[in-house]
Amino acid sequence: MEYSLYATASNGKRLAAYLVDIVPIMILVLWYYYWVHGFSIFDVQLKKENPEGYATLRSAIRLHSFGFWALLCFLLEASPWQGTWGKRLMGIKVVNGMNEPLSWGQSLK
């Protein structure tokens, strides 16, 4: 097991970094579903008329948002940036146990 002599980020900083990353992604995915598919999570009428279809689309939005976030993490944490936009904003640098940048394989894990 590898140990680092450097401090890890607090849970609060990690949560803030995640929110900085996920909120813009969610907004873009919601915009896409609204303009391309005509679906809004605020459509009360659809929720009443077709609750299963509404739940399916809402789940698709969550899945796509998470998928884009995971891809973003994979690409940016192995890049010279060593973290997503939120992590950079919060001063978090992603390194392996030897305080080196992640390889593509480590980032994928």
Side-chain angles (χ1 to χ4, degrees), residues 59-75:
S59 294
I61 289 171
R62 288 183 186 143
L63 180 65
H64 283 116
S65 297
F66 177 76
F68 289 131
W69 175 76
L71 178 64
L72 177 78
C73 288
F74 165 67
L75 294 174

Side-chain angles (χ1 to χ4, degrees), residues 3-100:
Y3 293 97
S4 178
L5 299 175
Y6 299 92
T8 58
S10 69
N11 290 338
K13 274 190 167 187
R14 289 172 188 256
L15 176 61
Y18 171 75
L19 291 174
V20 167
D21 292 336
I22 199 67
V23 169
I25 292 171
M26 281 290 294
I27 290 169
L28 289 173
V29 171
L30 287 170
W31 176 83
Y32 169 80
Y33 271 87
Y34 180 76
W35 287 105
V36 174
H37 298 287
F39 173 73
S40 171
I41 60 170
F42 305 109
D43 189 350
V44 178
Q45 188 69 21
L46 176 63
K47 188 175 182 178
K48 288 180 182 177
E49 291 176 1
N50 186 0
E52 289 178 8
Y54 177 85
T56 300
L57 285 169
R58 195 178 65 195
S59 294
I61 289 171
R62 288 183 186 143
L63 180 65
H64 283 116
S65 297
F66 177 76
F68 289 131
W69 175 76
L71 178 64
L72 177 78
C73 288
F74 165 67
L75 294 174
L76 292 180
E77 289 179 0
S79 75
W81 268 37
Q82 292 181 276
T84 61
W85 303 303
K87 287 179 182 140
R88 299 245 330 159
L89 184 66
M90 297 307 300
I92 300 171
K93 186 167 121 178
V94 180
V95 295
N96 65 17
M98 307 293 279
N99 200 36
E100 299 167 340

